[in-house]
Amino acid sequence: MIHNNEFKNNSFNRNLHWIISDSCNYNCSYCFIKNKRDYPVSPLLIAEALRGKLKGRWNFCISGGEPFIQPNFIALIKKIINFQQLDSLEVQTNFSSEVKEIVEFLNLTKNKL
């Protein structure tokens, strides 16, 4: 899903909300994520395909299920934070990952998160 919002200075801020998977490690009664499936295309391949194709400045929001349980999630974040067009990054998570992985994520994203 991509949204465009116009600011007062007539420049555009583009938002990309990327649901990288429906998989989650919890089964919360209130949550709408009940299907535990993965999408057929690797998020790493999608990120590589996006490189250089985005125009302007972008805010990324990554959600799922639970993004941190996806294979190569940290590798995906490493790719995204190096996009020249990246303005900010949001990840919707339940923080159930290993502390080591969360710390690595926070260290990688400190200027964009």
Side-chain angles (χ1 to χ4, degrees):
M1 180 183 331
I2 299 175
H3 301 284
N4 290 324
N5 300 319
E6 188 171 0
F7 287 93
K8 291 178 185 176
N9 65 1
N10 292 326
S11 66
F12 287 91
N13 184 35
R14 293 160 177 94
N15 299 303
L16 186 142
H17 186 168
W18 187 0
I19 301 170
I20 64 172
S21 173
D22 283 344
S23 296
C24 184
N25 54 335
Y26 289 168
N27 190 20
C28 303
S29 62
Y30 57 83
C31 185
F32 62 91
I33 305 253
K34 298 297 179 200
N35 296 327
K36 308 289 189 212
R37 69 178 190 271
D38 285 317
Y39 294 100
V41 179
S42 161
L44 286 172
L45 293 175
I46 294 170
E48 195 57 43
L50 285 174
R51 181 178 293 287
K53 292 190 173 67
L54 300 175
K55 305 297 182 207
R57 303 297 293 168
W58 287 80
N59 300 312
F60 273 56
C61 174
I62 297 176
S63 65
E66 172 51 43
F68 273 89
I69 67 169
Q70 302 311 310
N72 303 312
F73 179 69
I74 294 296
L76 174 65
I77 295 302
K78 286 178 181 177
K79 282 187 180 287
I80 291 171
I81 62 169
N82 287 317
F83 284 4
Q84 293 295 320
Q85 302 86 354
L86 180 65
D87 199 41
S88 68
L89 174 65
E90 173 186 343
V91 175
Q92 296 175 349
T93 178
N94 61 25
F95 280 112
S96 62
S97 182
E98 297 285 328
V99 171
K100 177 181 150 188
E101 188 175 26
I102 293 171
V103 168
E104 182 179 5
F105 169 78
L106 292 172
N107 286 333
L108 285 169
T109 60
K110 61 186 165 207
N111 294 326
K112 298 291 182 184
L113 190 61

